[in-house]
Amino acid sequence: MRYSTTAVHDVYDDGDECVVFVGDDVLALSVRATAAYRAVSGGHGSVEGVARALQEALGEPPPDVALLDVTNETLRELAEIGLIKGSGRGRG
């Protein structure tokens, strides 16, 4: 599955985090959500591309945490709040 951003009115970048204005809402994103959003908006919208971005931003996950599980959870959360949308088939 590939992900792309939706219509965001404005983005305020502040280091490791950002604030986005989408619809009628202003949302402050966590470091993890910001890294994933930046990866998708930068054209790295595959699950694997976002996983690499999360690993770069946050380092290696703990041994009992699967990077792809965290990535899919983050992408799902971003889609639920309307910042990204998925298309295609496959993982994600």
Side-chain angles (χ1 to χ4, degrees):
M1 179 169 295
R2 300 245 352 134
Y3 290 87
S4 60
T5 56
T6 59
V8 172
H9 302 299
D10 199 7
V11 177
Y12 172 73
D13 273 309
D14 187 25
D16 292 338
E17 299 175 343
C18 69
V19 176
V20 294
F21 177 35
V22 60
D24 293 330
D25 299 316
V26 176
L27 307 168
L29 302 183
S30 68
V31 173
R32 179 172 50 123
T34 296
Y37 180 75
R38 286 178 179 158
V40 172
S41 65
H44 303 286
S46 68
V47 173
E48 292 79 9
V50 174
R52 282 190 300 275
L54 290 179
Q55 190 171 20
E56 287 177 18
L58 304 171
E60 290 289 329
D64 60 333
V65 176
L67 179 59
L68 287 179
D69 289 345
V70 171
T71 302
N72 282 316
E73 177 185 336
T74 304
L75 290 168
R76 209 171 19 257
E77 290 169 355
L78 291 176
E80 286 174 3
I81 60 175
L83 291 181
I84 64 172
K85 61 183 176 183
S87 63
R89 307 189 110 211
R91 284 190 316 204

